[in-house]
């Protein structure tokens, strides 16, 4: 006997079904035929700005290693000295 039939036979109310989750992304699309929304565009811009700053920080660390840490540790000698 199925669950629905058993519940109706015993006089129980129907079982509550899980409600469908609503989409978190209710923002409008940038172009109707492209599935990229305004929120996704903003998130992408924020991500690229943060990634750019991380790249700049990594570049500075590499430069400091090549110009200061490496020669001070005796790993190599810069060619311009």
């Amino acid at each position: 006997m199925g669950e629905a039939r058993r519940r109706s036979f015993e006089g129980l109310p129907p079982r509550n079904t899980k409600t469908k989750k609503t989409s978190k992304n209710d923002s409008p699309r940038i172009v109707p035929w492209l599935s990229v929304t305004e929120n996704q565009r903003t998130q992408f811009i924020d991500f690229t700005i943060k990634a750019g700053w991380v790249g700049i920080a990594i570049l500075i660390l590499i430069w400091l290693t090549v110009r200061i840490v490496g020669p001070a540790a005796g790993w190599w000698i810069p060619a311009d000295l």
Side-chain angles (χ1 to χ4, degrees), residues 4-24:
R5 190 173 298 182
R6 181 189 65 80
R7 291 182 75 82
S8 66
F9 179 73
E10 293 178 0
L12 297 171
R15 190 171 81 177
N16 293 336
T17 58
K18 293 181 181 179
T19 58
K20 291 183 179 179
K21 293 182 180 179
T22 58
S23 175
K24 292 181 183 179

Side-chain angles (χ1 to χ4, degrees), residues 25 27-28 30 36-50:
N25 198 355
S27 65
I30 295 173
V36 177
T37 62
E38 293 286 335
N39 287 342
Q40 290 172 335
R41 179 187 67 131
T42 305
Q43 289 173 348
F44 177 74
I45 291 170
D46 292 341
F47 173 75
T48 55
I49 290 170
K50 290 176 186 174

Side-chain angles (χ1 to χ4, degrees), residues 24-73:
K24 292 181 183 179
N25 198 355
D26 293 335
S27 65
R29 291 182 174 189
I30 295 173
V31 181
W33 50 266
L34 186 62
S35 64
V36 177
T37 62
E38 293 286 335
N39 287 342
Q40 290 172 335
R41 179 187 67 131
T42 305
Q43 289 173 348
F44 177 74
I45 291 170
D46 292 341
F47 173 75
T48 55
I49 290 170
K50 290 176 186 174
W53 282 111
V54 168
I56 291 169
I58 290 172
L59 180 67
I60 290 171
L61 288 174
I62 291 172
W63 184 82
L64 288 173
T65 301
V66 168
R67 294 296 295 177
I68 297 171
V69 175

